[in-house]
Amino acid sequence: MTGTKTGTKEPTGTEELVELASVSKFYGNIKALEGVSLKVDAGRITCVLGDNGAGKSTLIKIIAGLHQHDAGTYTIQGEEVRLGSPREALDLGIATVYQDLAVVPLMPVWRNFFLGSEPTKGKGPFKRLDVSKMRRTTREEMLRMGIDLRDVDQPIGTLSGGERQCVAIARAVYFGAKVLILDEPTAALGVKQSGVVLKYVAAARDAGLGVVLITHNPHHAYLVGDRFVLLKRGAMAGSHLKSEIALEELTRQMAGGSELEQLSHELERAPVPAHLGEGA
């Protein structure tokens, strides 16, 4: 395992793939994250919920190897690590699908599927891309995820937003990801396309991956999630198993709960005095 290791423990029960314990990240005097903990198990979906500025992006960057944590522990399959790059995270089976997807719109679907990891055939001056293998593999892997693309030569930019997300998920599964981090995959999608993406998120879970779903939509999270971690201003605002919390309560906590009630009270229109009402 690459990265710096500082201890080992055996996972128990469901295989624990990733655990963050009291992880913090500081930028000078700014606390981007403080004391955040979460677990990611094989075949389970951990949803991280929070509004803009809650710390979701910082958390993604730490798990994905873009940033190192300043406090707490980060373990992958029982071994404590400090990742130095996204490449190290990928080598350890952690794949991140960002909201912008980083695809090349005018390139065909199969080329985007293998972008940066293209298989070749032949040797020396006769070495070339194995296009037939890439086309065949892309179609097979998309079918395995439940998407029947009749033409993998079509530019990926012609696919819907939901279909592009599914290509990225299928790619991560094919290249051996054990943990899949999805950054707001339904944020820019309508109801129908969001449903398509959530279906393939569940398919990744059923394939045995541990999934981290970053979202600000509690309804989407509750449809597929097994565990919910709520962030607020960089700190933990709650951590619940699905069996422990109803959608209504999750939504209330996500919306601010008591703060929203206080705001509602403050915005209530004061009763108009009778003598003023008469002259209105």
Side-chain angles (χ1 to χ4, degrees):
M1 184 178 285
T2 56
T4 304
K5 310 174 192 176
T6 57
T8 306
K9 66 178 181 179
E10 290 297 322
T12 57
T14 302
E15 185 185 2
E16 187 178 287
L17 300 176
V18 164
E19 180 177 7
L20 273 64
S22 300
V23 162
S24 300
K25 179 66 181 177
F26 308 106
Y27 298 100
N29 294 325
I30 299 173
K31 298 177 181 178
L33 276 184
E34 186 172 18
V36 173
S37 301
L38 66 78
K39 293 182 180 180
V40 184
D41 298 328
R44 297 286 186 271
I45 297 175
T46 297
C47 298
V48 179
L49 298 103
D51 285 328
N52 292 336
K56 303 191 302 296
S57 295
T58 302
L59 183 64
I60 291 173
K61 290 172 182 176
I62 290 173
I63 301 174
L66 274 167
H67 292 170
Q68 291 189 342
H69 53 290
D70 296 318
T73 59
Y74 177 10
T75 59
I76 299 177
Q77 291 189 284
E79 298 191 31
E80 190 172 335
V81 299
R82 292 187 66 83
L83 300 179
S85 70
R87 182 75 254 177
E88 283 189 15
L90 203 55
D91 290 343
L92 296 177
I94 297 176
T96 304
V97 177
Y98 292 99
Q99 196 172 333
D100 59 13
L101 293 179
V103 297
V104 183
L106 295 179
M107 280 188 176
V109 175
W110 62 264
R111 191 65 191 269
N112 275 278
F113 191 94
F114 282 92
L115 199 61
S117 302
E118 294 87 348
T120 58
K121 60 182 178 181
K123 295 181 180 180
F126 301 104
K127 189 175 182 179
R128 61 198 184 279
L129 294 178
D130 194 341
V131 175
S132 60
K133 178 180 179 179
M134 286 189 277
R135 284 184 174 131
R136 182 179 67 254
T137 302
T138 299
R139 178 164 171 74
E140 289 172 353
E141 292 303 311
M142 294 302 289
L143 272 173
R144 187 167 292 149
M145 293 293 289
I147 298 179
D148 185 7
L149 280 183
R150 287 170 292 181
D151 183 14
V152 295
D153 284 300
Q154 69 188 98
I156 198 169
T158 64
L159 300 183
S160 69
E163 288 171 331
R164 290 196 296 273
Q165 286 280 355
C166 297
V167 171
I169 293 171
R171 182 184 191 278
V173 172
Y174 175 74
F175 282 102
K178 295 178 181 177
V179 175
L180 181 62
I181 307 168
L182 299 168
D183 175 24
E184 298 274 9
T186 62
L189 304 179
V191 174
K192 185 175 180 180
Q193 286 298 318
S194 293
V196 169
V197 172
L198 292 175
K199 175 182 175 183
Y200 299 116
V201 171
R205 172 201 64 199
D206 295 342
L209 277 71
V211 179
V212 180
L213 176 63
I214 312 292
T215 182
H216 64 270
N217 189 318
H219 295 272
H220 292 170
Y222 204 80
L223 281 171
V224 296
D226 298 292
R227 180 184 285 118
F228 309 101
V229 173
L230 288 91
L231 297 183
K232 182 179 179 182
R233 298 174 188 167
M236 296 276 290
S239 180
H240 311 279
L241 295 175
K242 189 169 188 175
S243 60
E244 300 171 342
I245 191 168
L247 173 59
E248 293 75 13
E249 177 61 17
L250 183 67
T251 304
R252 191 188 76 84
Q253 291 190 20
M254 170 75 186
S258 58
E259 288 186 9
L260 200 62
E261 291 169 7
Q262 177 63 30
L263 178 61
S264 176
H265 177 71
E266 291 175 1
L267 294 177
E268 281 181 4
R269 184 174 296 178
V272 179
H275 69 283
L276 293 179
E278 291 173 359

